[in-house]
Amino acid sequence: IKSIATMPTTPTSIALVDADASSLTVSWPELKTSADEVTYELQFRQSKSDGDNFQTLSSTLKSTQARKKNLEPGTSYKFRVRVASSLSDDDFVTHDTPFSTLTSDEETNRMAAPTAEGDGNRAAIVRWEAAKDGKGAEGYELQMRENVGGSPWSTLASNFKSTEVRKKNLDNVTGYQFRVRPAGDASDASVFSPASNAVVGPTLGWEMKHLFRDLDDETVLRGTNEVSLDDALAGKDIVLLYASAHWCGPCRQFTPQLANWYRSMKTTPEGKKVEVVFLSADHDERSFRQYYATQPWLAVPYDADAREGLMAHIRVSGIPRLCVLDGRTGRILEDNAVGKPMDIKRWKSLAGNK
């Protein structure tokens, strides 16, 4: 999965969000007014019509996005918007290039909308189905827009060779949308897919950060590598704290069982939202490293104050101990899951995240 960064933009005019053969969805920047709640007036006309021949679509719009239906296929239109209380045509915000509905053939042949889901700290995975008739042989052009009024589409890359990409640095809390089309010569005759669902790049909640507040440099271990706490746990629905030690016989018996479950769980979609963090109860760092080398999940470094702080927080009095936390709030969902069904759906239900 290739990763790419974000280029923020400042909306200044009406932008086209999506088009099909009979409708256009447009978006505009929030217009300043002294009123507590802004109401917008949106007008439209065919671009070939007289410049003053605008029709009012609505004068009671509360949001900065609207969809005009029942339009003619393959036809260009112009839109303009202003605060509904304004009486001056000079206050209208518009766009330079007309927006066109698709022809029937374009709508039939274009690619399906991509899907987008949060994946770690301020990141998302975007996936799309391969284009039909080999049109994606030269790759795909992928575009993105911030899910805010008037935000335009911008090209992230013009020829992705795969049908999946990881997008990083998604900082806008209102989310992002994506669309795709075949690249190369095929793009000359291809329109973009419909827009994806809006996705927000997950961040780690302050409650979880507070639990790990004594973590040195805010990093945990994944194998022999250090990773930031945000990258490790942001977007996780469930976090399991595993207190264990090599000197403990029941621990040595349970750890391989947990590891098998973990590896199997990680191959499922819901498993990507679950993580395990090892809290060592070993007597020295050498024993910790030898024992942790057999484990596939994260670990709090042995010399970090957070290790003992977390064990105190979940009141470890015996091991093995597998404490199930709500990954968003840090709330304890199950005091000890050792010897119990490893039921992610039940844990998510307890967290109120079905």
Side-chain angles (χ1 to χ4, degrees):
I1 300 175
K2 188 175 181 179
S3 295
I4 45 182
T6 303
M7 296 295 291
T9 58
T10 301
T12 58
S13 64
I14 296 180
L16 179 65
V17 176
D18 197 13
D20 58 31
S22 62
S23 71
L24 294 169
T25 301
V26 298
S27 174
W28 56 92
E30 184 176 345
L31 304 180
K32 294 182 179 180
T33 177
S34 59
D36 294 334
E37 185 177 45
V38 183
T39 302
Y40 297 100
E41 178 185 3
L42 180 65
Q43 298 183 349
F44 77 104
R45 65 170 172 84
Q46 285 194 20
S47 60
K48 65 181 181 181
S49 300
D50 180 76
D52 295 327
N53 192 26
F54 276 94
Q55 302 176 52
T56 297
L57 175 60
S58 175
S59 59
T60 58
L61 295 169
K62 302 296 186 182
S63 72
T64 56
Q65 182 168 304
R67 182 186 181 196
K68 177 64 181 84
K69 302 178 182 179
N70 302 317
L71 299 177
E72 296 293 326
T75 304
S76 297
Y77 294 87
K78 292 278 287 186
F79 291 81
R80 64 182 188 179
V81 66
R82 65 181 176 182
V83 175
S85 59
S86 174
L87 300 177
S88 172
D89 285 357
D90 293 337
D91 292 335
F92 277 111
V93 172
T94 185
H95 53 103
D96 294 330
T97 304
F99 301 149
S100 298
T101 52
L102 305 186
T103 66
S104 297
D105 286 343
E106 286 175 332
E107 182 169 4
T108 298
N109 295 325
R110 73 170 172 170
M111 295 176 61
T115 61
E117 62 177 337
D119 183 66
N121 184 36
R122 299 180 299 122
I125 295 290
V126 185
R127 300 181 177 90
W128 57 91
E129 296 179 3
K132 298 177 181 178
D133 303 324
K135 291 182 179 180
E138 297 184 46
Y140 298 91
E141 180 180 358
L142 180 67
Q143 292 192 335
M144 179 191 77
R145 68 178 295 271
E146 293 183 351
N147 190 34
V148 296
S151 180
W153 290 98
S154 60
T155 297
L156 297 177
S158 57
N159 61 342
F160 277 119
K161 299 302 182 183
S162 69
T163 57
E164 181 174 301
V165 66
R166 186 172 189 264
K167 181 70 185 71
K168 301 189 295 184
N169 301 324
L170 300 179
D171 297 319
N172 196 308
V173 296
T174 61
Y176 297 80
Q177 291 178 290
F178 300 85
R179 67 180 185 179
V180 66
R181 70 176 178 179
D185 294 338
S187 65
D188 295 335
S190 298
V191 296
F192 279 98
S193 71
S196 72
N197 55 296
V199 61
V200 176
T203 56
L204 188 62
W206 69 266
E207 299 97 335
M208 288 294 289
K209 287 189 175 184
H210 184 70
L211 279 181
F212 286 82
R213 61 189 177 276
D214 295 326
L215 195 62
D216 297 338
D217 300 323
E218 294 188 349
T219 60
V220 292
L221 297 175
R222 185 176 291 282
T224 58
N225 299 318
E226 292 185 352
V227 296
S228 75
L229 182 68
D230 289 299
D231 287 340
L233 297 183
K236 303 303 182 187
D237 292 333
I238 302 294
V239 174
L240 298 93
L241 299 181
Y242 180 44
S244 181
H246 185 262
W247 54 261
C248 165
C251 297
R252 294 197 305 273
Q253 183 179 12
F254 178 69
T255 297
Q257 299 172 19
L258 182 62
N260 288 337
W261 171 82
Y262 180 87
R263 294 187 181 98
S264 176
M265 174 267 299
K266 280 297 183 181
T267 64
T268 66
E270 66 178 5
K272 298 181 184 300
K273 301 279 189 168
V274 179
E275 192 52 82
V276 176
V277 182
F278 174 46
L279 306 175
S280 174
D282 286 294
H283 297 312
D284 54 66
E285 186 166 1
R286 180 173 177 273
S287 299
F288 157 73
R289 292 191 176 279
Q290 289 179 339
Y291 189 35
Y292 179 51
T294 68
Q295 302 173 26
W297 40 71
L298 302 171
V300 173
Y302 186 80
D303 58 356
D305 292 340
R307 178 177 64 88
E308 293 186 357
L310 286 165
M311 286 197 288
H313 174 74
I314 62 175
R315 299 178 182 177
V316 174
S317 58
I319 54 175
R321 174 82 174 278
L322 187 64
C323 185
V324 183
L325 305 182
D326 182 334
R328 300 165 302 170
T329 68
R331 180 168 63 91
I332 295 176
L333 303 176
E334 185 152 42
D335 189 62
N336 192 1
V338 175
K340 298 179 182 178
M342 304 292 283
D343 190 341
I344 297 174
K345 290 183 178 179
R346 186 176 68 85
W347 296 335
K348 291 177 67 175
S349 178
L350 291 172
N353 183 19
K354 299 179 182 179

